[in-house]
Amino acid sequence: MKIGVRAHDYGRMEIEKLAEVLHEEGYEAAQLALPKAFAGIQRYEDITLKHLERIRRAFEEYHIEIPIFGCYMDLGNPDPVIRDHAVKTLKKCLAYSKEVGAKVVGTETAYPHLNQQEKKQWYPYMVDSVKAVVEEAARLDVKLAIEPVYWHPLENLEAVLDIMDKTGDPEHLRMIFDASNLLQFPDTTDQRAYWEEWLKYTGKYIEAMHIKDFYFDKNGGYCPTLLGEGVIQYEAVSQWLHKNRPDMYLLREEMNPETAQADIKFMKKL
């Protein structure tokens, strides 16, 4: 397994400096959201071929692979202007990802926390958006990876299998697995059975895993924490990885650089 991180958890830096810092911390891979990670890039519209060439060179020099080119867009929004912007931006990023040598372009399917009625309303728009982007991915021979989240239109296992079936192109439509974004009821969920079911049916689509941990405070607020100190039970995930995908990218999200080494040690045990 290859240990990585969401690069902008270390703050925005010059391209070469960030690659150096991640190498010194001991990472083998990084998820890059360019406007969040790099000084001088405020928006996706600011990205130039010079930026992409510098990123490729710097990350190759420091032996940091780029499994995910992050471009998280509001793909299911009922507003056609917002949705059109999301699709066009993702399509541009598919081409950018090829230039930097990224494995996939990663996105969730919405921005806001949606209620059940909203998720149902947004779902068909999300499907149409994903189909449009996957068509471009196939044309460029690159990959889009979607990340299910229980408060988004792509909310559960059934939704993932449905969109994979509707799209019909598993070579160009992949998935990012994030256990924390799928565990709505940690107090009542049999996590071993839950993760085993997820991985049984979606494992063949997974391109990378986000690794994080959390707990809910007394008011129900989300609180990130060190790996192994929250509610996520990673035993079933670890066993699946060793049996099926020992080459998987494990990317730490919500990293606190001050405690990075403890989290890296935890991920290596996975």
Side-chain angles (χ1 to χ4, degrees), residues 41-166:
I41 302 176
Q42 300 294 332
R43 308 170 303 156
Y44 287 99
E45 291 78 9
D46 296 336
I47 298 170
T48 66
L49 287 175
K50 184 177 180 180
H51 288 133
L52 299 174
E53 179 61 24
R54 284 176 61 195
I55 292 167
R56 177 190 280 276
R57 287 183 179 179
F59 281 73
E60 284 181 352
E61 178 184 352
Y62 286 102
H63 308 289
I64 305 290
E65 296 183 49
I66 307 171
I68 301 175
F69 187 111
C71 180
Y72 282 43
M73 290 285 118
D74 208 3
L75 290 176
N77 197 300
D79 185 326
V81 175
I82 293 174
R83 206 164 61 249
D84 182 65
H85 171 74
V87 169
K88 287 180 177 177
T89 304
L90 269 174
K91 286 182 176 181
K92 285 192 293 186
C93 286
L94 290 172
Y96 296 158
S97 74
K98 200 167 187 175
E99 293 294 326
V100 300
K103 306 296 183 185
V104 301
V105 173
T107 183
E108 292 176 355
T109 58
Y111 285 158
H113 280 59
L114 304 176
N115 61 38
Q116 204 59 42
Q117 182 179 353
E118 290 169 330
K119 285 187 280 187
K120 185 177 180 180
Q121 178 192 6
W122 287 41
Y123 189 85
Y125 297 117
M126 179 269 295
V127 172
D128 288 346
S129 296
V130 170
K131 283 183 175 180
V133 180
V134 171
E135 286 179 3
E136 180 70 358
R139 188 183 74 82
L140 296 173
D141 195 23
V142 294
K143 299 175 182 178
L144 175 72
I146 48 178
E147 183 176 344
V149 181
Y150 71 78
W151 58 87
H152 286 170
L154 194 69
E155 63 174 314
N156 54 32
L157 177 58
E158 291 74 21
V160 171
L161 298 179
D162 179 64
I163 196 169
M164 290 296 182
D165 180 63
K166 283 184 167 69

Side-chain angles (χ1 to χ4, degrees), residues 185-202:
F185 305 109
D187 292 338
T188 57
T189 300
D190 179 346
Q191 288 193 46
R192 172 168 288 279
Y194 189 54
W195 304 135
E196 286 177 351
E197 183 180 32
W198 264 99
L199 295 168
K200 176 182 177 180
Y201 290 104
T202 69

